[in-house]
Structure formats: structure tokens, C-alpha cells
Amino acid sequence: MEMTNTAARRSTGEAQLLPLPSIYSLTLDELKEWLVAHGEKPFRATQIYEWLYGKRVTDFAEMTNLPKRLREQLASAFSITTLKTIVKQTSKDGTIKFLFELHDGYSIETVLMRHNYGNSVCVTTQVGCRIGCTFCASTLGGLKRHLEAGEIVAQVVQVQKALDETEERVSSIVVMGIGEPFDNYDALIKFLRIVNHSKGLNIGARHITVSTSGIIPKIYQFADEGMQINFAISLHAPTTELRTKLMPINKAYPLPKLMEAVRYYIEKTGRRVTFEYGLFGGVNDQLEHAEQLAELLKGLKCHVNLIPVNYVPERNYVRTPRNQIFAFERALKKHGINVTIRREHGHDIDAACGQLRAKERKEETR
């Protein structure tokens, strides 16, 4: 009944009273500017950041070292974004997948993955996705809306609050959840600056990875940002023809042009690029594909992350046999390509991106 009601609220306009802007969307400099414009000292911004990201309060009234008048001003101008947990799935390997509800009733997924080097959070940048990759559950139902920067930040804060209970912390972030990050570019960049800032969540730039399906103009723009963020390309095919079948975005941004943009990024930043390559049984996982991939990447400062795909009921792709995965890996290594097979997380829960949302919120993904 709840899902039907939220869908009804969206369609009737009942939930269209937008909340106040999220204070999580403000960089420290923007918060200082707002404070000065409202007759306050800029040093108050650092105090507010400490309350938001250090103490993780959810009410301006709790910011007790701020003057009461300022607390009231903040409360009238901003909201502290909170996400309602609809479903929380915990895997045997410690992976936790959250389905969060937003203020307008839409839902997003966020995943906590545990590694031997720390806790990683995979965040979502959009409600749905318009890219249309044929293997992905995130694109079911298309794009509903972009997330504002504060809604992306709130995902990390929410997971950190869950980790506070065991005195752990988020040590890395991957921007690989629902949506195409470069399709929501301005909010993405603001999010990265906020979570990376030493007064914010203080996640090191080299512990943050952004993945794109290949929006070429934004790759050039991202290269020029001067950020030390890790960069990944969702590739999944070694030829233009096959990539177009798997990823319709290849029609707008064809593989040869994509590789030009990747070369620009490497030359401009000096940083390595990771190529995400999902293995789909009988589609892109043959040795000839490995040879073609090695040829495509020859001479590039790069790393290939082979991904044994999670089965998605709404899609028809099947899993590549284990021995074939290793054969594909060996073929790339033979050509000097740096390659690893991604460790699977949450195999016993709805692990594929967008899968939990597709199951729980069918009205959003039809």
C-alpha cells in the first residue's frame, strides 16, 4: 500500500512541495559566502561542517556553539537531508545494500562493501538512468530525475552513521550506482569536492572512483578539473559493433572517439584509467574478444577490471563459466595488459545495480 501511495502522491502533485535546499549541497566556500551575506563570520562555516560531517547531527538546533539566531536562519534556509531506509539487505560477506526513499517518494540504492583495506560505499547519482545499457537493471523505467549534490552526499553520511555503531568509517567511495554520473555532472563535481574536503567527510581523492559509460565531452571536462579522483570507463566490448549492441550510448559517442578522449585524459592527468569489462556468456567473453581488447588498449596506461556479471531477471544475459573467465584474464596478461577479476560482493542478495529497486519499486521501473 505504501508504494502505491507514494506513486499516487507523485502523480497527483501532493508531494510536489519541494523541501528546502540541502545544506549538504554547499561546499565550504559556498557556505562561507552564504554566512557573510547574512551578516555572519565565515569561520562559522567550519563549525557547521563539523556538526554535519564530524558529529553528523540531523537538526540545526543541535549545533549548540552557534548563536540561536544563526541556527534559526539555517533552519529556515536549508534542510539536512535524511534518507528513509525502505529495505536493508545484508550479505554473508558483509555487504549491505540499502534502498533509500527520497523526499518525493522515489527510491535509490546505496551499497556498503567490506574489503580487507576498508569500507567502500557505492553511491547513486540519479533516480533511474537514460543510457539504456542492455545488461543493466538501473535503466529499467528510464530516468526519473537527477539527484542534487546533497542527496548524493547524504548517502555517504547515512552509511557512515550505520558504521558509527561499530566505530568504523567509510574509507573509499565508488560512484558506480544507479545513473550515469557524467549525465549529472555539476552535482557530481560538487559532491566530490564536499566528500574530499578535509573539513567534510575527508575521503582522500585517490580513494574515490568515478565511472562513466562514455559521455565524451564530460571526459575532457573531467580531465581539466585537476582532481586526483580515480577514473573508470564502463567499456564491456572491444569493438564498435559489439559495444553498440550492448550500450546504445556508443551510437552517440562511438568507441574510436571514446578512446581519443581517454588518451587525452591520460596525457592531461598522468593518471591510469580503469576499464570495467563485464563478461556476458557467449556475447563478449571469447578469446577473440580478449585479443581485440588487448589490441584496443595497447600502449595505454590502464587497468582492466573483469566483472563476472550478476544475473538480472529482467535481462537475458548469462554468466560466463569460471574457467573461461580465467582464460580471458590469461589472454590479456599475455599481451602485457594489467588485469584483475573483480571480487564479487553480495552474491546472495540483490547485488546487481538497480536490481533491488526494480524488485521493490516496480512502479518506478516499468
Short mmCIF file of all heavy atoms in Angstrom, two decimals, residues 122-166:
data_model
loop_
_atom_site.label_atom_id
_atom_site.label_comp_id
_atom_site.label_asym_id
_atom_site.label_seq_id
_atom_site.Cartn_x
_atom_site.Cartn_y
_atom_site.Cartn_z
N CYS A 122 29.26 2.52 -2.48
CA CYS A 122 28.88 2.77 -3.87
C CYS A 122 27.63 3.64 -3.87
O CYS A 122 26.60 3.25 -3.32
CB CYS A 122 28.61 1.44 -4.59
SG CYS A 122 28.15 1.66 -6.33
N VAL A 123 27.74 4.83 -4.46
CA VAL A 123 26.64 5.79 -4.42
C VAL A 123 25.94 5.93 -5.76
O VAL A 123 26.51 5.66 -6.82
CB VAL A 123 27.11 7.19 -3.94
CG1 VAL A 123 27.68 7.12 -2.54
CG2 VAL A 123 28.11 7.80 -4.91
N THR A 124 24.70 6.38 -5.69
CA THR A 124 23.83 6.62 -6.83
C THR A 124 23.79 8.11 -7.13
O THR A 124 23.83 8.93 -6.22
CB THR A 124 22.42 6.09 -6.48
OG1 THR A 124 22.42 4.67 -6.58
CG2 THR A 124 21.35 6.67 -7.37
N THR A 125 23.72 8.46 -8.43
CA THR A 125 23.70 9.87 -8.82
C THR A 125 22.39 10.31 -9.47
O THR A 125 22.17 11.51 -9.64
CB THR A 125 24.85 10.17 -9.81
OG1 THR A 125 24.77 9.25 -10.90
CG2 THR A 125 26.20 10.05 -9.13
N GLN A 126 21.54 9.34 -9.84
CA GLN A 126 20.27 9.68 -10.49
C GLN A 126 19.19 8.70 -10.03
O GLN A 126 19.50 7.58 -9.61
CB GLN A 126 20.39 9.59 -12.02
CG GLN A 126 21.38 10.57 -12.64
CD GLN A 126 21.52 10.35 -14.14
OE1 GLN A 126 21.87 9.27 -14.57
NE2 GLN A 126 21.23 11.38 -14.92
N VAL A 127 17.95 9.12 -10.13
CA VAL A 127 16.83 8.19 -9.96
C VAL A 127 16.57 7.60 -11.33
O VAL A 127 16.03 8.25 -12.22
CB VAL A 127 15.57 8.91 -9.44
CG1 VAL A 127 14.42 7.89 -9.31
CG2 VAL A 127 15.83 9.59 -8.11
N GLY A 128 17.01 6.36 -11.53
CA GLY A 128 16.94 5.75 -12.84
C GLY A 128 18.08 6.20 -13.73
O GLY A 128 19.03 6.86 -13.28
N CYS A 129 18.00 5.84 -15.01
CA CYS A 129 19.10 6.15 -15.94
C CYS A 129 18.56 6.14 -17.36
O CYS A 129 17.69 5.34 -17.70
CB CYS A 129 20.20 5.09 -15.79
SG CYS A 129 21.66 5.38 -16.82
N ARG A 130 19.07 7.05 -18.19
CA ARG A 130 18.59 7.10 -19.57
C ARG A 130 19.58 6.50 -20.57
O ARG A 130 19.33 6.51 -21.77
CB ARG A 130 18.29 8.54 -19.96
CG ARG A 130 19.45 9.48 -19.96
CD ARG A 130 19.03 10.83 -20.57
NE ARG A 130 19.69 11.94 -19.90
CZ ARG A 130 19.15 13.14 -19.78
NH1 ARG A 130 17.96 13.38 -20.27
NH2 ARG A 130 19.79 14.11 -19.15
N ILE A 131 20.71 5.97 -20.10
CA ILE A 131 21.74 5.48 -21.00
C ILE A 131 21.29 4.22 -21.75
O ILE A 131 21.64 4.00 -22.90
CB ILE A 131 23.06 5.24 -20.24
CG1 ILE A 131 23.53 6.55 -19.59
CG2 ILE A 131 24.13 4.68 -21.17
CD1 ILE A 131 23.76 7.70 -20.56
N GLY A 132 20.53 3.35 -21.09
CA GLY A 132 19.91 2.23 -21.78
C GLY A 132 20.80 1.02 -22.02
O GLY A 132 20.52 0.24 -22.95
N CYS A 133 21.84 0.83 -21.23
CA CYS A 133 22.68 -0.36 -21.38
C CYS A 133 21.81 -1.61 -21.28
O CYS A 133 20.99 -1.73 -20.35
CB CYS A 133 23.78 -0.39 -20.32
SG CYS A 133 24.91 1.02 -20.43
N THR A 134 21.98 -2.54 -22.19
CA THR A 134 21.06 -3.67 -22.30
C THR A 134 21.22 -4.70 -21.18
O THR A 134 20.38 -5.59 -21.05
CB THR A 134 21.25 -4.38 -23.65
OG1 THR A 134 22.59 -4.89 -23.73
CG2 THR A 134 20.98 -3.44 -24.80
N PHE A 135 22.27 -4.57 -20.38
CA PHE A 135 22.54 -5.56 -19.32
C PHE A 135 22.24 -5.01 -17.93
O PHE A 135 22.46 -5.69 -16.93
CB PHE A 135 24.02 -5.98 -19.37
CG PHE A 135 24.98 -4.82 -19.44
CD1 PHE A 135 25.34 -4.12 -18.30
CD2 PHE A 135 25.48 -4.41 -20.66
CE1 PHE A 135 26.19 -3.04 -18.37
CE2 PHE A 135 26.35 -3.33 -20.74
CZ PHE A 135 26.71 -2.64 -19.60
N CYS A 136 21.72 -3.81 -17.83
CA CYS A 136 21.65 -3.13 -16.53
C CYS A 136 20.21 -2.92 -16.07
O CYS A 136 19.36 -2.43 -16.83
CB CYS A 136 22.36 -1.78 -16.63
SG CYS A 136 22.45 -0.89 -15.07
N ALA A 137 19.96 -3.26 -14.80
CA ALA A 137 18.62 -3.06 -14.23
C ALA A 137 18.36 -1.60 -13.90
O ALA A 137 17.20 -1.19 -13.75
CB ALA A 137 18.46 -3.92 -12.97
N SER A 138 19.41 -0.79 -13.78
CA SER A 138 19.24 0.62 -13.39
C SER A 138 18.45 1.41 -14.41
O SER A 138 17.80 2.40 -14.09
CB SER A 138 20.61 1.28 -13.19
OG SER A 138 21.30 0.70 -12.14
N THR A 139 18.52 0.99 -15.67
CA THR A 139 17.89 1.76 -16.73
C THR A 139 16.43 1.38 -16.95
O THR A 139 15.74 2.03 -17.73
CB THR A 139 18.69 1.56 -18.04
OG1 THR A 139 18.34 2.56 -18.99
CG2 THR A 139 18.44 0.18 -18.64
N LEU A 140 15.95 0.36 -16.24
CA LEU A 140 14.54 -0.04 -16.36
C LEU A 140 13.65 1.12 -15.92
O LEU A 140 13.77 1.64 -14.83
CB LEU A 140 14.26 -1.27 -15.49
CG LEU A 140 14.99 -2.56 -15.88
CD1 LEU A 140 14.83 -3.61 -14.79
CD2 LEU A 140 14.50 -3.09 -17.22
N GLY A 141 12.75 1.54 -16.78
CA GLY A 141 11.86 2.66 -16.45
C GLY A 141 12.44 4.01 -16.82
O GLY A 141 11.77 5.03 -16.68
N GLY A 142 13.70 4.04 -17.28
CA GLY A 142 14.30 5.29 -17.71
C GLY A 142 14.71 6.20 -16.57
O GLY A 142 14.71 5.81 -15.40
N LEU A 143 15.05 7.44 -16.92
CA LEU A 143 15.49 8.43 -15.94
C LEU A 143 14.28 9.18 -15.37
O LEU A 143 13.45 9.70 -16.11
CB LEU A 143 16.44 9.43 -16.60
CG LEU A 143 16.92 10.59 -15.73
CD1 LEU A 143 17.82 10.09 -14.62
CD2 LEU A 143 17.65 11.64 -16.57
N LYS A 144 14.19 9.23 -14.04
CA LYS A 144 13.13 9.98 -13.39
C LYS A 144 13.59 11.40 -13.07
O LYS A 144 12.90 12.37 -13.34
CB LYS A 144 12.68 9.28 -12.10
CG LYS A 144 12.23 7.84 -12.31
CD LYS A 144 11.10 7.72 -13.32
CE LYS A 144 10.64 6.27 -13.46
NZ LYS A 144 9.64 6.10 -14.54
N ARG A 145 14.77 11.52 -12.44
CA ARG A 145 15.35 12.84 -12.18
C ARG A 145 16.79 12.70 -11.72
O ARG A 145 17.23 11.62 -11.33
CB ARG A 145 14.54 13.61 -11.15
CG ARG A 145 14.62 13.09 -9.72
CD ARG A 145 13.95 14.09 -8.77
NE ARG A 145 13.90 13.64 -7.39
CZ ARG A 145 14.88 13.83 -6.48
NH1 ARG A 145 16.01 14.44 -6.83
NH2 ARG A 145 14.73 13.42 -5.23
N HIS A 146 17.53 13.83 -11.76
CA HIS A 146 18.88 13.89 -11.21
C HIS A 146 18.80 14.03 -9.69
O HIS A 146 17.84 14.60 -9.17
CB HIS A 146 19.65 15.10 -11.75
CG HIS A 146 19.84 15.08 -13.24
ND1 HIS A 146 20.40 14.02 -13.91
CD2 HIS A 146 19.56 16.01 -14.19
CE1 HIS A 146 20.46 14.30 -15.20
NE2 HIS A 146 19.95 15.50 -15.40
N LEU A 147 19.80 13.56 -9.00
CA LEU A 147 19.94 13.86 -7.58
C LEU A 147 20.69 15.17 -7.43
O LEU A 147 21.59 15.48 -8.23
CB LEU A 147 20.71 12.75 -6.86
CG LEU A 147 20.10 11.35 -6.82
CD1 LEU A 147 20.92 10.45 -5.90
CD2 LEU A 147 18.65 11.38 -6.37
N GLU A 148 20.33 15.96 -6.43
CA GLU A 148 21.16 17.11 -6.13
C GLU A 148 22.39 16.63 -5.36
O GLU A 148 22.41 15.52 -4.81
CB GLU A 148 20.38 18.18 -5.36
CG GLU A 148 19.92 17.80 -3.97
CD GLU A 148 19.39 19.01 -3.20
OE1 GLU A 148 20.14 20.00 -3.08
OE2 GLU A 148 18.25 18.96 -2.70
N ALA A 149 23.41 17.45 -5.33
CA ALA A 149 24.67 17.05 -4.69
C ALA A 149 24.44 16.56 -3.27
O ALA A 149 25.01 15.56 -2.84
CB ALA A 149 25.66 18.21 -4.71
N GLY A 150 23.58 17.27 -2.53
CA GLY A 150 23.33 16.92 -1.14
C GLY A 150 22.71 15.55 -0.97
O GLY A 150 22.91 14.89 0.05
N GLU A 151 21.93 15.12 -1.96
CA GLU A 151 21.32 13.79 -1.88
C GLU A 151 22.36 12.69 -2.11
O GLU A 151 22.22 11.58 -1.62
CB GLU A 151 20.18 13.67 -2.89
CG GLU A 151 18.97 14.54 -2.55
CD GLU A 151 17.91 14.51 -3.63
OE1 GLU A 151 18.26 14.70 -4.82
OE2 GLU A 151 16.72 14.30 -3.30
N ILE A 152 23.40 13.02 -2.87
CA ILE A 152 24.49 12.05 -3.06
C ILE A 152 25.36 12.02 -1.79
O ILE A 152 25.71 10.95 -1.29
CB ILE A 152 25.34 12.41 -4.30
CG1 ILE A 152 24.46 12.69 -5.51
CG2 ILE A 152 26.31 11.26 -4.62
CD1 ILE A 152 25.22 13.19 -6.73
N VAL A 153 25.65 13.21 -1.26
CA VAL A 153 26.42 13.29 -0.01
C VAL A 153 25.69 12.55 1.11
O VAL A 153 26.30 11.82 1.90
CB VAL A 153 26.64 14.77 0.39
CG1 VAL A 153 27.28 14.86 1.78
CG2 VAL A 153 27.52 15.49 -0.63
N ALA A 154 24.38 12.72 1.18
CA ALA A 154 23.59 12.11 2.26
C ALA A 154 23.71 10.60 2.28
O ALA A 154 23.63 9.98 3.35
CB ALA A 154 22.12 12.52 2.12
N GLN A 155 23.93 9.99 1.13
CA GLN A 155 24.10 8.53 1.08
C GLN A 155 25.33 8.10 1.87
O GLN A 155 25.30 7.13 2.63
CB GLN A 155 24.21 8.05 -0.36
CG GLN A 155 22.97 8.28 -1.19
CD GLN A 155 23.21 8.00 -2.66
OE1 GLN A 155 23.58 6.89 -3.06
NE2 GLN A 155 23.01 9.00 -3.50
N VAL A 156 26.42 8.84 1.68
CA VAL A 156 27.65 8.51 2.40
C VAL A 156 27.48 8.77 3.89
O VAL A 156 27.91 7.98 4.73
CB VAL A 156 28.85 9.32 1.84
CG1 VAL A 156 30.14 8.87 2.50
CG2 VAL A 156 28.96 9.15 0.33
N VAL A 157 26.85 9.90 4.22
CA VAL A 157 26.61 10.22 5.63
C VAL A 157 25.76 9.14 6.29
O VAL A 157 26.05 8.70 7.41
CB VAL A 157 25.92 11.60 5.77
CG1 VAL A 157 25.54 11.86 7.22
CG2 VAL A 157 26.84 12.72 5.26
N GLN A 158 24.72 8.70 5.59
CA GLN A 158 23.82 7.69 6.15
C GLN A 158 24.56 6.38 6.42
O GLN A 158 24.37 5.74 7.46
CB GLN A 158 22.67 7.43 5.17
CG GLN A 158 21.45 6.79 5.81
CD GLN A 158 20.42 7.81 6.25
OE1 GLN A 158 20.71 9.02 6.26
NE2 GLN A 158 19.24 7.36 6.61
N VAL A 159 25.41 5.97 5.48
CA VAL A 159 26.18 4.73 5.68
C VAL A 159 27.20 4.92 6.80
O VAL A 159 27.41 4.03 7.63
CB VAL A 159 26.88 4.31 4.37
CG1 VAL A 159 27.81 3.12 4.62
CG2 VAL A 159 25.85 3.95 3.31
N GLN A 160 27.82 6.11 6.86
CA GLN A 160 28.78 6.38 7.93
C GLN A 160 28.09 6.31 9.30
O GLN A 160 28.67 5.79 10.26
CB GLN A 160 29.46 7.73 7.74
CG GLN A 160 30.47 8.09 8.81
CD GLN A 160 31.56 7.05 8.95
OE1 GLN A 160 32.35 6.84 8.04
NE2 GLN A 160 31.63 6.37 10.10
N LYS A 161 26.89 6.80 9.38
CA LYS A 161 26.16 6.73 10.65
C LYS A 161 25.90 5.28 11.05
O LYS A 161 25.95 4.94 12.24
CB LYS A 161 24.84 7.51 10.54
CG LYS A 161 25.05 9.03 10.50
CD LYS A 161 23.77 9.77 10.24
CE LYS A 161 22.86 9.78 11.44
NZ LYS A 161 21.69 10.67 11.26
N ALA A 162 25.65 4.42 10.07
CA ALA A 162 25.47 3.00 10.37
C ALA A 162 26.78 2.39 10.87
O ALA A 162 26.79 1.56 11.78
CB ALA A 162 24.98 2.26 9.12
N LEU A 163 27.90 2.84 10.29
CA LEU A 163 29.22 2.33 10.70
C LEU A 163 29.64 2.89 12.06
O LEU A 163 30.45 2.28 12.76
CB LEU A 163 30.28 2.68 9.65
CG LEU A 163 30.20 1.91 8.33
CD1 LEU A 163 31.20 2.48 7.33
CD2 LEU A 163 30.46 0.42 8.55
N ASP A 164 29.09 4.05 12.43
CA ASP A 164 29.42 4.64 13.74
C ASP A 164 29.11 3.68 14.88
O ASP A 164 29.78 3.70 15.92
CB ASP A 164 28.65 5.95 13.95
CG ASP A 164 29.19 7.09 13.10
OD1 ASP A 164 30.33 6.99 12.62
OD2 ASP A 164 28.45 8.08 12.92
N GLU A 165 28.11 2.85 14.68
CA GLU A 165 27.69 1.92 15.73
C GLU A 165 28.77 0.91 16.08
O GLU A 165 28.81 0.38 17.19
CB GLU A 165 26.40 1.20 15.30
CG GLU A 165 25.22 2.14 15.10
CD GLU A 165 24.00 1.43 14.54
OE1 GLU A 165 24.01 0.17 14.52
OE2 GLU A 165 23.04 2.11 14.13
N THR A 166 29.66 0.63 15.10
CA THR A 166 30.76 -0.31 15.34
C THR A 166 32.12 0.40 15.30
O THR A 166 33.15 -0.25 15.17
CB THR A 166 30.73 -1.45 14.31
OG1 THR A 166 30.65 -0.89 12.99
CG2 THR A 166 29.54 -2.36 14.55
#
